[in-house]
Amino acid sequence: MWGECMKKIVWLSLCAFLFLLTGCGKYDEKDIMKDLNARLENIKGYYLEGEMEIINNEDVYKYDVKVAYQKNELFKVNLKNKANNHEQILLRNNDGVYVLTPSLNKSFKFQSEWPYNNSQCYILQTLLKDIKNDNEKTFEETENYYVITTKVNYPNNRKLEKQVIYFDKQLEIKEVQVINDTGNTAIKMKFTKTDMKATYSEKHFTLNENMNTAVLDEVIEPVMKIEDIIYPMYIPEATSLSDQNKVNKTEGERIILTFEGEKPFILVEETATKEDELITIPTYGEPSMIIDTVGVISDNSVSWISNGLEYYIASDDMEIDELVTIATSIGTIPVGK
């Protein structure tokens, strides 16, 4: 009798060992997704903080990033360029989607599904959306992290192909790396603070409150004259500069560059002015990072404000990603003529 009991104990112990050895019951990708979804569905709000790097050829742009989310689809993202303290705010509230530029006392209002219409490396909901939508995603567990690699959705920058997302063992987001078509990191977002129990007052997401409370560390020298015309470093083949004109504005100057050939386009550079009172400009297109700032991308144009100048590029003969390539080449090496 005793011998039979011992045999059963040994057999059960062996079964338990094999169960563990084969990894049955292991915390895997499905469990992670289930827990992350449950966490987001049950929270009232969250707060994320960190540093983002955008690599454009040999230039690296660094930003302090702060993300606030409150249930009922309220989002606020502060982006501050660490080189010049230029700050912009991406805002989604019940009235719409805005890009705020406090230093110019301007806001731009969009009819947009932001942040859900493309990948966003600093917003949890869009990261989870990318993971869910990719049936070919990969999962890896390291000593310190759960690592998930997915495709990305950047319709205006097809060179960005995938992202590597790092969660720690408590399922807090730690890092996102966006990889381009050459296998190099184009965007790196490192999170330094995570609060999944954050709460906010209603006015935290209102337009006027954010414009009134913005802390302007940026030192802005009014630009009234364009000393050096900045030409794009990338121009499509069989296309060249055919004309340039300078126009005086009430305050400042405007340069109009016309490029003709197989892929004609127009480039406008003009001095930006600060408004005496807050103005909101209805805008067609989508907010997107352009060089060192948040700009606007539409079906056939790209516009942005940088270092006291407003830029606008448009073409009816080019795909939008090539227009974006021209735009980003303007920020690589300024060339004056």
Side-chain angles (χ1 to χ4, degrees), residues 260-279:
E260 294 184 351
E262 291 186 3
K263 294 183 177 181
F265 66 95
I266 186 171
L267 168 60
V268 179
E269 304 171 8
E270 63 180 282
T271 53
T273 55
K274 182 176 181 179
E275 302 296 329
D276 294 330
E277 297 182 359
L278 169 64
I279 65 168

Side-chain angles (χ1 to χ4, degrees), residues 91-93 95-99 108-110 112-114 287:
L91 188 68
R92 175 176 174 146
N93 58 29
D95 297 322
V97 172
Y98 300 86
V99 173
F108 301 85
K109 185 177 182 179
F110 297 79
S112 170
E113 294 302 316
W114 180 89

Side-chain angles (χ1 to χ4, degrees), residues 9-163:
I9 292 172
V10 171
W11 174 248
L12 291 172
S13 298
L14 180 60
C15 288
F17 175 74
L18 291 173
F19 181 81
L20 293 173
L21 186 65
T22 55
C24 295
K26 184 178 180 181
Y27 191 65
D28 61 12
E29 176 190 341
K30 290 183 179 179
D31 296 317
I32 289 173
M33 288 303 299
K34 181 179 179 181
D35 288 349
L36 286 173
N37 281 324
R39 180 179 293 191
L40 275 180
E41 288 175 0
N42 294 327
I43 64 172
K44 293 182 179 180
Y46 67 72
Y47 175 79
L48 305 175
E49 192 173 308
E51 180 180 284
M52 179 173 64
E53 292 184 358
I54 296 181
I55 297 94
N56 180 36
N57 297 313
E58 295 182 359
D59 296 322
V60 179
Y61 301 98
K62 296 184 179 182
Y63 301 84
D64 286 326
V65 181
K66 298 178 181 179
V67 181
Y69 164 76
Q70 184 165 283
K71 204 167 183 177
N72 297 324
E73 307 305 317
L74 302 177
F75 289 92
K76 174 184 172 183
V77 179
N78 291 69
L79 295 169
K80 179 181 285 190
N81 188 315
K82 298 185 75 168
N84 57 15
N85 286 326
H86 177 62
E87 182 172 13
Q88 289 177 292
I89 300 170
L90 283 159
L91 188 68
R92 175 176 174 146
N93 58 29
N94 295 327
D95 297 322
V97 172
Y98 300 86
V99 173
L100 284 57
T101 305
S103 60
L104 297 177
N105 214 12
K106 292 180 180 179
S107 71
F108 301 85
K109 185 177 182 179
F110 297 79
Q111 294 297 323
S112 170
E113 294 302 316
W114 180 89
Y116 295 109
N117 52 355
N118 53 45
S119 297
Q120 309 286 343
C121 65
Y122 39 69
I123 292 181
L124 293 179
Q125 284 87 343
T126 60
L127 290 171
L128 291 185
K129 181 181 177 182
D130 287 340
I131 295 173
K132 289 180 183 178
N133 289 343
D134 188 358
N135 294 326
E136 299 176 357
K137 58 183 171 288
T138 63
F139 172 79
E140 178 187 4
E141 182 178 356
T142 67
E143 182 179 353
N144 298 314
Y145 301 105
Y146 298 116
V147 184
I148 302 176
T149 302
T150 79
K151 297 174 185 176
V152 291
N153 176 32
Y154 288 97
N156 299 318
N157 190 344
R158 298 173 191 173
K159 293 181 180 180
L160 302 179
E161 293 190 340
K162 62 182 180 180
Q163 62 190 353

Side-chain angles (χ1 to χ4, degrees), residues 158-224:
R158 298 173 191 173
K159 293 181 180 180
L160 302 179
E161 293 190 340
K162 62 182 180 180
Q163 62 190 353
V164 185
I165 309 168
Y166 295 82
F167 295 96
D168 68 14
K169 295 304 175 72
Q170 286 72 47
L171 294 187
E172 289 194 355
I173 187 74
K174 288 299 178 182
E175 185 172 335
V176 178
Q177 296 180 15
V178 181
I179 312 299
N180 62 21
D181 55 0
T182 63
N184 295 316
T185 300
I187 305 172
K188 182 184 292 184
M189 180 70 213
K190 285 191 174 183
F191 298 91
T192 56
K193 184 175 180 180
T194 305
D195 180 3
M196 300 301 290
K197 296 181 179 180
T199 58
Y200 306 94
S201 65
E202 290 185 7
K203 65 181 182 180
H204 188 81
F205 298 91
T206 62
L207 175 63
N208 289 334
E209 177 70 13
N210 280 283
M211 291 297 287
N212 292 336
T213 60
V215 178
L216 297 181
D217 295 328
E218 181 180 7
V219 178
I220 301 177
E221 295 293 335
V223 177
M224 300 300 295

Side-chain angles (χ1 to χ4, degrees), residues 230-264:
I230 302 177
Y231 299 88
M233 297 301 295
Y234 169 78
I235 298 174
E237 291 185 9
T239 303
S240 60
L241 178 66
S242 63
D243 190 28
Q244 65 181 48
N245 290 302
K246 180 181 288 189
V247 179
N248 291 322
K249 304 193 302 177
T250 304
E251 295 183 21
E253 294 179 334
R254 176 183 296 120
I255 303 291
I256 303 172
L257 305 176
T258 304
F259 293 80
E260 294 184 351
E262 291 186 3
K263 294 183 177 181

